[in-house]
Amino acid sequence: MRLKAILSGLFCMLTLLLLAGCGNSTSNSGSTNDKVVEIEYWHVASDSFGGQTVRELVADFNKTHPNIKVTEKFNPDMYKGLTQNLQAALASGQTPDVVQMGWNFLNYAHENFETESIDKIFADAGDPNFIKDTFEPNIARLAQTDTGDQVGVPYSLSLPVLYYNPDIFKAAGLDPNKPPTTWTEVAEYAKQIKEKTGNPAFFMQEYADTWTNQALVESNGGTMLTHKDGKWQAGFDTPEAAYAYQVIADMVKNGTGLHATNEEGFQSFTSGKLAMVATTIGKRANFEKSSNFKVMTTTFPAFGNKPVKVPAGGNFLMILSKDKAKQKAAVEFVKYLESAENLTKWDTGTGYLPPRKGMAQEGPYKKLMDENENIRKAMEMLPNVTPWVSFPGQNGLQAEQILIDARDVILNGSKTASEALHEAALKINDLLK
């Protein structure tokens, strides 16, 4: 009897242990309280473009959110590269949870990547008004389709500016306090600098996108994409667009401008060999840290008296998770990134402008603006911001690449801007059908 009692007791204890184990297993499958939820964050921040800041933010989030583990993944070739990698990942069933999606792929992502409503995801996570409470309506709309679907959460705002080296200006007999304000003046300054120093003087970024080219075209009164008779068509097969592209090509042709990789162009600038660079304000922090001269900026140049129009560069955050626990963890991570403190860290590490309400009025970002004139100048350009053109449909990536290829053909002098843009427009219109 005694043995029977002992065995009975052991059996009961074993049963309780098994039940407890089963209970924990069930709880872990859907609770962020007992199980570490792992999510993956895809971004385009290279080491010279905010990569270190991404790693610091992710490490701090993981430390302060022990029930969530974020793994970050860098994608080269900017937003086009990330989008291509995302296509391949989704095809194999390996979906990242949060991605930095470039504004120029807004429509493409919405039409080609199956996602749940971002508003519903936030509502399910207990914060249905986050987007409305955090962003001004015009900023929130940057991550909306033409039909009003909120595809993601605004994150990084950038616009193109003209960086310049005041020491080279002085050496060439130019006043650093009077930088060029028009493209005619940019060409004249570049010519004088070339004559005085013997070096090329100007470089415009050549990322795998058409961002600065859109700024050129629209600032000269042109357009990149038109909607006619219910169909989308290329809008850049015009004299205005061709003239805007040709201005840069002519500087390359006469030796006052560079046609090079970004690494070569940016390195020439930070090493003090190149006077002017037109690129994103998102490079501000890297340029200021890497240069042994005072980096100065001015607004994106105009074409005569025409108003300057600059597309909103940068990215928004999409949540691609289908699993509810991962969605909730992704919301926590997005809200962390969008806090005033962490947006200030992101700007400090890159140069991107914050999309959050009230950042310029108070708090850590206001202090940053007060200390850095380049930030203040960039913030003053926000009223000139227009949406970054997003080619629609399944062939959006191909359309973007055709226009990138046209830019390279124009800059290497193989064809005039008018010829290359006309051929590109025909190809893109065929794709958009």
Side-chain angles (χ1 to χ4, degrees):
M1 293 294 293
R2 179 176 175 80
L3 177 62
K4 183 177 179 181
I6 292 173
L7 290 174
S8 176
L10 289 173
F11 177 77
C12 290
M13 290 175 62
L14 180 61
T15 301
L16 288 172
L17 286 171
L18 287 172
L19 287 173
C22 292
N24 284 342
S25 174
T26 302
S27 175
N28 284 349
S29 65
S31 171
T32 58
N33 293 324
D34 303 317
K35 178 182 177 182
V36 175
V37 179
E38 297 187 11
I39 60 175
E40 193 169 56
Y41 174 42
W42 281 21
H43 61 88
V44 298
S46 64
D47 283 343
S48 63
F49 200 9
Q52 180 61 33
T53 304
V54 168
R55 291 189 289 273
E56 290 173 358
L57 288 170
V58 167
D60 180 68
F61 177 84
N62 288 338
K63 182 179 179 180
T64 55
H65 296 73
N67 294 324
I68 303 173
K69 180 182 178 182
V70 178
T71 302
E72 53 87 17
K73 179 181 178 180
F74 165 65
N75 290 258
D77 211 8
M78 291 301 287
Y79 304 114
K80 182 174 75 70
L82 181 147
T83 305
Q84 289 173 328
N85 292 340
L86 187 55
Q87 282 180 315
L90 293 175
S92 64
Q94 302 298 316
T95 309
D97 303 288
V98 181
V99 298
Q100 282 183 2
M101 183 61 63
W103 301 113
N104 56 326
F105 290 114
L106 172 69
N107 289 325
Y108 182 85
H110 181 61
E111 293 174 14
N112 292 279
F113 302 145
E114 183 181 344
T115 62
E116 288 194 34
S117 164
I118 193 75
D119 292 321
K120 183 178 184 304
I121 290 174
F122 270 84
D124 289 347
D127 200 345
N129 297 318
F130 176 76
I131 293 176
K132 182 179 69 174
D133 293 343
T134 308
F135 310 101
E136 297 290 353
N138 64 315
I139 299 299
R141 275 196 296 271
L142 290 174
Q144 293 175 5
T145 64
D146 293 334
T147 56
D149 293 313
Q150 190 77 41
V151 182
V153 183
Y155 183 45
S156 305
L157 280 180
S158 71
L159 41 80
V161 298
L162 186 68
Y163 296 88
Y164 65 97
N165 182 330
D167 297 340
I168 296 180
F169 270 42
K170 292 175 184 177
L174 298 167
D175 186 350
N177 295 314
K178 295 180 180 179
T181 58
T182 67
W183 285 107
T184 298
E185 290 179 348
V186 170
E188 291 172 350
Y189 278 43
K191 183 174 182 293
Q192 185 168 330
I193 291 168
K194 170 76 172 181
E195 291 172 349
K196 296 290 185 179
T197 68
N199 294 323
F202 174 81
F203 173 69
M204 177 174 280
Q205 70 168 50
E206 296 189 26
Y207 285 112
D209 59 47
T210 59
W211 184 58
T212 46
N213 300 104
Q214 180 182 330
L216 282 171
V217 170
E218 293 191 346
S219 294
N220 198 34
T223 187
M224 300 293 279
L225 191 65
T226 61
H227 198 251
K228 185 177 180 181
D229 299 328
K231 297 179 181 179
W232 289 106
Q233 292 183 327
F236 52 78
D237 187 11
T238 63
E240 292 83 5
Y243 180 83
Y245 271 83
Q246 197 64 50
V247 164
I248 310 301
D250 287 346
M251 281 193 279
V252 173
K253 184 177 180 179
N254 65 28
T256 62
L258 279 181
H259 173 39
T261 66
N262 286 324
E263 183 178 355
E264 293 168 334
F266 296 156
Q267 176 62 32
S268 293
F269 178 71
T270 57
S271 64
K273 298 176 182 177
L274 188 72
M276 296 177 284
V277 171
T279 188
T280 170
I281 189 61
K283 293 293 294 183
R284 175 194 59 77
N286 176 257
F287 282 176
E288 290 175 349
K289 293 174 185 175
S290 304
S291 305
N292 59 4
F293 56 88
K294 180 184 178 182
V295 174
M296 299 182 73
T297 62
T298 187
T299 57
F300 194 78
F303 286 93
N305 295 321
K306 296 178 182 179
V308 173
K309 295 181 180 180
V310 289
N315 51 70
F316 60 98
L317 300 173
M318 290 184 72
I319 295 178
L320 301 182
S321 309
K322 298 295 177 61
D323 177 84
K324 293 302 180 183
K326 286 179 176 285
Q327 285 182 352
K328 188 174 182 180
V331 166
E332 286 302 309
F333 181 57
V334 169
K335 289 168 64 174
Y336 167 86
L337 293 177
E338 297 283 4
S339 71
E341 179 184 357
N342 290 322
L343 285 173
T344 302
K345 290 179 181 178
W346 185 228
D347 180 278
T348 303
T350 58
Y352 278 122
L353 307 180
R356 189 183 180 96
K357 289 179 184 178
M359 292 286 287
Q361 281 72 49
E362 60 183 0
Y365 192 75
K366 173 66 165 58
K367 183 175 184 293
L368 196 64
M369 284 181 60
D370 291 341
E371 296 171 350
N372 192 302
E373 186 179 6
N374 291 332
I375 297 175
R376 290 200 304 276
K377 289 180 180 178
M379 291 290 283
E380 290 169 2
M381 287 188 67
L382 284 180
N384 302 97
V385 166
T386 62
W388 190 353
V389 167
S390 173
F391 288 102
Q394 294 183 348
N395 297 321
L397 276 177
Q398 293 169 263
E400 176 91 357
Q401 188 59 53
I402 287 171
L403 198 48
I404 293 168
D405 293 341
R407 175 197 67 195
D408 294 336
V409 167
I410 293 167
L411 292 181
N412 67 29
S414 300
K415 294 178 181 177
T416 66
S418 181
E419 293 169 339
L421 292 178
H422 177 67
E423 292 178 7
L426 294 177
K427 294 177 183 177
I428 288 176
N429 287 340
D430 190 48
L431 286 175
L432 295 179
K433 288 179 183 178

